[in-house]
Amino acid sequence: MNEKQDVKQVVCGFGNLYKAMRISKKNVVWKDSVASYVKNGLVNCYKLKKQHETGTYKIDDYTVFKVHEPKERDIVSTRIKDRVFQRSFCDNYLYKTVTRSFIHDNGACQIGKGTDFSRERLAHHLKEHYKENGLVGGILKCDISDYFGSTSHEVAKDALRKRIKDDWAMQEAARIIDSFTQGKDPAKGMGLGSQVTQIIQLAVLDGIDHMIKEELGIKHYVRYMDDFILIHQDIEYLRYCRERIRAELDKKGLRLSPKKTQVQPVTQPVHFLGFSFRLNENGRVTMRILPEKVSHERRKLRRLVGLAKAGVKTRAEVDKCYEAFRAHAKKGDNRGVVRKMDKFYENLWEEHQNETSHNQGTTHGGTSNARSPRG
């Protein structure tokens, strides 16, 4: 849209709502509620358009559930009707309006960015630091405790007021923010899983990004949501930066995680987005998958092969899950890890085959003579 177009008419236009529905149904059309909505998509998108025109639109109650990987978190699932509106709202107005002030190294939830982008940027900054300072200096790694759950609604709205000039758009964004009342404090907490709140949460820390880059003068800096890293030649200065960041977060009612926030020499490995990054003596950066991720994958594969043994899954389905892990691991320097995991995975299937052969032999009243897949 251009500046002369009416934001509400564009966002709530039938064509844009229908397009948003087609995007929103991806990977979730197996759900009965989604399938039913899409089946009558033309009618439902028209009804949604009319609700906004007449001022009768209301956000439905959320479904809240827990996920346990990579850590236990509450996920708020938005109903398909509201997801359609929020998709159109983001795609046709909110995303471009809010993200235009973001620094380049703010890497989460943006077009052309993501985890791979942020990992590459960290490796780039470590290499550039080496060119300028060798192995002198340190790293400040910061993490915010319960970022989504502890962000107040007023702080979130304030971050948007600085960027959104359209009254209707601000009103709808505020409505979405205030709809999250699942926590102990109804005026605090943003739903993790909503497209709109992800963009808003990026904006909440945008001012701190600019402070770090422009006021503190940190050249080598990268942030992925609430996980951010500063690299500088003076470790004492990084400690000062940590206190400045802590003070700014305190103004927003947020706090740094004591366990995950630390200052360390640049020669020590730093954990970021599932990998351990180390700057070596020759200026090369190695990126190895964290051991806990490997251990988790081993447990997961053992469970999946067990499900295949029970007939719940097929070998092809389990292979697909394992291939996803291999592709992830191969993004870094993990050839040895991948070789060991390949062997572990094949051994799981050999154990499964041996158990199956033994059970078949027992069923037929004798010892099985079946050969293993490798002969």
Side-chain angles (χ1 to χ4, degrees), residues 6-210:
D6 182 81
V7 176
K8 181 177 179 180
Q9 288 184 1
V10 172
V11 171
C12 300
F14 178 81
N16 283 331
L17 290 174
Y18 189 77
K19 181 181 178 180
M21 183 197 70
R22 292 179 63 84
I23 297 172
S24 299
K25 74 174 183 177
K26 291 181 179 179
N27 301 321
V28 291
V29 75
W30 54 271
K31 294 182 179 180
D32 290 342
S33 59
V34 177
S36 176
Y37 191 93
V38 172
K39 182 179 179 181
N40 299 289
L42 292 171
V43 173
N44 285 326
C45 287
Y46 181 76
K47 286 171 60 177
L48 185 57
K49 175 179 180 292
K50 282 297 181 182
Q51 286 174 353
H52 279 282
E53 288 177 352
T54 58
T56 57
Y57 171 75
K58 293 182 179 180
I59 299 174
D60 290 339
D61 292 338
Y62 297 101
T63 300
V64 182
F65 59 94
K66 288 186 181 294
V67 297
H68 300 278
E69 293 296 335
K71 60 183 178 181
E72 184 173 299
R73 294 177 294 178
D74 288 326
I75 302 296
V76 177
S77 177
T78 308
R79 305 288 182 177
I80 181 63
K81 175 201 72 176
D82 303 314
R83 199 180 312 147
V84 168
F85 168 67
Q86 290 184 25
R87 166 63 68 174
S88 183
F89 187 34
C90 278
D91 290 356
N92 294 294
Y93 178 77
L94 190 68
Y95 177 85
K96 184 177 180 180
T97 302
V98 172
T99 62
R100 66 177 59 179
S101 67
F102 289 2
I103 65 170
H104 181 65
D105 284 307
N106 177 348
C109 308
Q110 296 169 70
I111 298 169
K113 297 185 179 181
T115 53
D116 288 344
F117 168 85
S118 291
R119 293 188 194 104
E120 289 171 4
R121 291 301 295 167
L122 176 56
H124 167 79
H125 284 303
L126 285 168
K127 292 174 183 176
E128 290 300 306
H129 175 86
Y130 179 84
K131 292 178 183 178
E132 298 162 2
N133 306 285
L135 297 178
V136 176
I139 296 171
L140 167 59
K141 184 178 187 298
C142 296
D143 184 275
I144 299 174
S145 297
D146 189 22
Y147 181 44
F148 275 75
S150 59
T151 300
S152 79
H153 293 180
E154 192 54 41
V155 166
K157 292 176 194 174
D158 186 57
L160 293 184
R161 291 189 190 102
K162 297 173 182 177
R163 296 162 174 81
I164 295 177
K165 304 305 178 186
D166 183 83
D167 292 339
W168 174 83
M170 186 62 223
Q171 174 186 313
E172 289 303 317
R175 188 213 297 254
I176 294 169
I177 291 169
D178 288 334
S179 68
F180 296 104
T181 58
Q182 285 78 20
K184 295 179 181 179
D185 184 348
K188 182 181 290 187
M190 302 284 282
L192 183 59
S194 164
Q195 182 189 11
V196 171
T197 58
Q198 288 175 350
I199 298 301
I200 294 172
Q201 289 295 85
L202 289 176
V204 167
L205 296 180
D206 182 47
I208 290 181
D209 288 340
H210 285 278

Side-chain angles (χ1 to χ4, degrees), residues 63 113 226 322 343:
T63 300
K113 297 185 179 181
D226 64 323
Y322 178 54
K343 185 175 181 180

Side-chain angles (χ1 to χ4, degrees), residues 3 11 42 62 64-65 85 112 143 149 178-179 198 202 222 230 258 263 268 270 276 283 289 295 306 314 339 344 346:
E3 294 181 358
V11 171
L42 292 171
Y62 297 101
V64 182
F65 59 94
F85 168 67
D143 184 275
D178 288 334
S179 68
Q198 288 175 350
L202 289 176
V222 61
L230 296 73
V263 177
Q268 288 186 0
V270 58
S276 175
I289 194 166
S295 297
T314 65
R339 283 197 300 269
F344 171 81
E346 285 305 315

Side-chain angles (χ1 to χ4, degrees), residues 55 125 317 357 373:
H125 284 303
E317 289 174 324
S357 299

